[in-house]
Amino acid sequence: MDLTILHDGEMWTGPVVADGDDVRLSGDALEQALGFRIEPEGLCRGAVCIPTAAHQGLVAAQGVGLAELASVLGQPLAWDRDAGVASLGESPDDQRARLESLAAPDFELTDLEGKRRRLTEFRGKKVLLHAFASW
């Protein structure tokens, strides 16, 4: 079956293997969708590795269980098997740290002169953001 995975503002669509109430991602799908590689020391993304020996059933011959991985990462997972869509949310610890930092997320908008501006261009300066919606 094909599954679309939403994670960290990115979207990946590809084949997965249904496994009861979970789905399993091959090594290639895992790397493309979530950035993890299957290494001898565990599931690695950058310099961080999750030892798989401590998590029975996480890695199997059919691949890595998405629900089990989300649980290990402490990230909420919402998925609709019939629609073929899954979304991994931000872990509560990461979300709390981001909110406590009071740092606004960076974004880009077009100013009144048509020039693209990023919020980070104004770091150290006071900025007033005015937003509205017409609906």
Side-chain angles (χ1 to χ4, degrees):
M1 74 182 267
D2 277 357
L3 183 69
T4 297
I5 299 176
L6 309 170
H7 180 257
D8 283 343
E10 300 291 325
M11 181 175 76
W12 172 86
T13 301
V16 296
V17 175
D19 185 17
D21 290 337
D22 200 0
V23 292
R24 295 204 168 268
L25 285 80
S26 69
D28 288 340
L30 181 70
E31 187 167 0
Q32 292 170 8
L34 304 174
F36 282 97
R37 295 175 326 282
I38 300 173
E39 301 285 345
E41 52 271 19
L43 297 180
C44 302
R45 182 169 55 190
V48 177
C49 290
I50 300 167
T52 55
H55 305 284
Q56 294 296 332
L58 177 60
V59 180
Q62 306 94 329
V64 175
L66 182 60
E68 180 69 21
L69 179 59
S71 176
V72 169
L73 295 172
Q75 293 181 278
L77 172 67
W79 80 292
D80 184 327
R81 178 187 215 122
D82 295 333
V85 176
S87 178
L88 271 86
E90 184 177 25
S91 78
D93 292 338
D94 291 345
Q95 187 178 34
R96 185 180 313 98
R98 184 178 47 77
L99 291 172
E100 288 174 352
S101 77
L102 298 178
D106 192 26
F107 57 89
E108 184 176 303
L109 295 172
T110 304
D111 67 14
L112 294 174
E113 287 80 37
K115 184 175 179 184
R116 300 293 287 175
R117 301 279 190 169
R118 298 193 70 80
L119 182 61
T120 52
E121 292 175 36
F122 302 98
R123 188 152 317 245
K125 299 176 184 176
K126 292 182 181 180
V127 175
L128 173 67
L129 298 175
H130 178 92
F132 70 94
S134 61
W135 59 86

